[in-house]
Amino acid sequence: MQSVTQPKDLGSYLKSRRAQLDPVALGFHTARRRTPGLRREEVAHLACISATWYTWLEQGRGGTPSAEVLERICQALRLSQPEREHVFHLALGRAPGMHYQARGTVTERLQKVLDCMHLSPAMIRNATWDVLAWNKAATVVLSDYPNQPAHERNILRRIFLNPQARAAQADWHALARFLVAAFRADATRAGASIEIRPLVEELSAASSEFAELWRSNDIDMMGEGTKILLHREAGRLSLEFSSFSVEGQPDLTMVVYNPSTQEDADKIRSLL
């Protein structure tokens, strides 16, 4: 079977990134340099690998480096997250393991995307399922996010610890099982297994139902589906939801709830 790796492309890419680095900024002298950037032996030194082997990698004949060595090379070359992913795809034919980075901010452009969906409640959450941004429809259908403390804008806290949120679910038990399974998969995919521990411990202590579901180790994906809400003003609402990863920000997910029928749309319009 033909290898999925591309050693010559990897070598060419590493060489191009090496040429972009400033030796002075990294503590190396600049005397007698015929080409810009770092020397191969300097990159090898920063990555704690053999200079000979690194030379072979750039020449496309060094074999397949391990993920650990690739990480060190990426750090030595000061690669960005997209550049790091590109190196892993060239060398190993797959994406690297996720390193969770909580950004905690939503750009103005991303907020405009939410605001353009007038009758579709939409929000953006992070890997610990804190809701970071929302549109007007979400505030009247899902939750009054603007008037809540940030601590209370967590989806799992609301579902398991808020009686009003629980009463609004047509089938709370099915929803709770699905959310816990999707939360576990979401956190693992974002590389946030350590970051979610305080929340898991808090909910396990406060809710025996959450603790039992967490111990089940079930895994599910948010993907798409239908959510039935028993809204205190609009009555029964059927919403078709879809979730989308925000490219370049693996800790963020956009969830959009579209009204299932014209009647549901009219109810949301009346709430607005």
Side-chain angles (χ1 to χ4, degrees):
M1 183 175 65
Q2 186 177 3
S3 172
V4 297
T5 61
Q6 306 171 62
K8 291 185 178 180
D9 290 342
L10 172 64
S12 177
Y13 187 74
L14 294 179
K15 183 178 180 180
S16 71
R17 296 306 90 190
R18 176 168 60 84
Q20 301 298 317
L21 295 176
D22 181 2
V24 175
L26 294 174
F28 297 105
H29 64 81
T30 58
R32 299 180 182 178
R33 290 181 184 268
R34 297 180 180 179
T35 57
L38 294 187
R39 297 188 177 105
R40 288 168 175 165
E41 58 267 26
E42 291 168 341
V43 174
H45 171 75
L46 292 173
C48 298
I49 59 176
S50 161
T52 299
W53 187 35
Y54 180 77
T55 298
W56 288 349
L57 284 177
E58 284 201 1
Q59 294 173 345
R61 58 190 183 97
T64 302
S66 67
E68 180 184 355
V69 169
L70 279 180
E71 287 285 9
R72 297 207 301 266
I73 293 174
C74 290
Q75 292 174 12
L77 293 173
R78 305 302 194 263
L79 299 188
S80 65
Q81 181 63 25
E83 291 171 334
R84 173 174 167 261
E85 291 181 2
H86 186 63
V87 165
F88 268 75
H89 278 292
L90 290 177
L92 302 179
R94 63 169 177 82
M98 292 304 303
H99 289 172
Y100 180 66
Q101 294 181 328
R103 299 176 184 271
T105 58
V106 174
T107 64
E108 184 177 345
R109 290 184 178 181
L110 200 50
Q111 181 64 55
K112 287 181 179 179
V113 174
L114 298 180
D115 294 337
C116 285
M117 294 179 278
H118 301 294
L119 295 181
S120 297
M123 63 180 179
I124 293 175
R125 56 170 170 76
N126 60 14
T128 55
W129 282 28
D130 295 315
V131 177
L132 304 181
W134 51 84
N135 62 5
K136 179 64 176 177
T139 67
V140 298
V141 173
L142 301 177
S143 185
D144 187 14
Y145 296 119
N147 293 316
Q148 294 173 352
H151 179 81
E152 295 181 10
R153 294 182 196 140
N154 181 274
I155 295 171
L156 292 179
R157 282 196 186 98
R158 282 185 50 76
I159 289 298
F160 283 94
L161 305 182
N162 186 306
Q164 290 75 29
R166 179 169 183 151
Q169 312 307 317
D171 188 344
W172 183 89
H173 291 283
L175 175 68
R177 179 174 296 276
F178 167 67
L179 289 181
V180 172
F183 172 69
R184 183 190 294 274
D186 200 41
T188 301
R189 184 172 58 252
S193 297
I194 295 176
E195 285 74 13
I196 67 170
R197 286 179 186 173
L199 177 63
V200 170
E201 292 172 358
E202 172 195 338
L203 292 176
S204 296
S207 169
S208 59
E209 291 163 312
F210 175 87
E212 180 181 356
L213 290 173
W214 189 256
R215 287 194 299 268
S216 71
N217 278 307
D218 289 343
I219 292 292
D220 208 335
M221 302 296 290
M222 195 72 177
E224 299 179 339
T226 301
K227 180 181 181 67
I228 304 298
L229 275 179
L230 306 178
H231 196 275
R232 63 183 181 278
E233 297 178 30
R236 185 182 179 89
L237 275 174
S238 178
L239 304 169
E240 298 173 351
F241 66 83
S242 300
S243 59
F244 308 89
S245 297
V246 178
E247 186 172 1
Q249 300 191 64
D251 61 318
L252 299 185
T253 298
M254 178 186 295
V255 185
V256 179
Y257 297 87
N258 290 312
S260 299
T261 66
Q262 185 59 50
E263 180 182 1
D264 294 309
D266 292 339
K267 288 181 178 180
I268 294 175
R269 186 178 290 107
S270 67
L271 291 172
L272 290 168

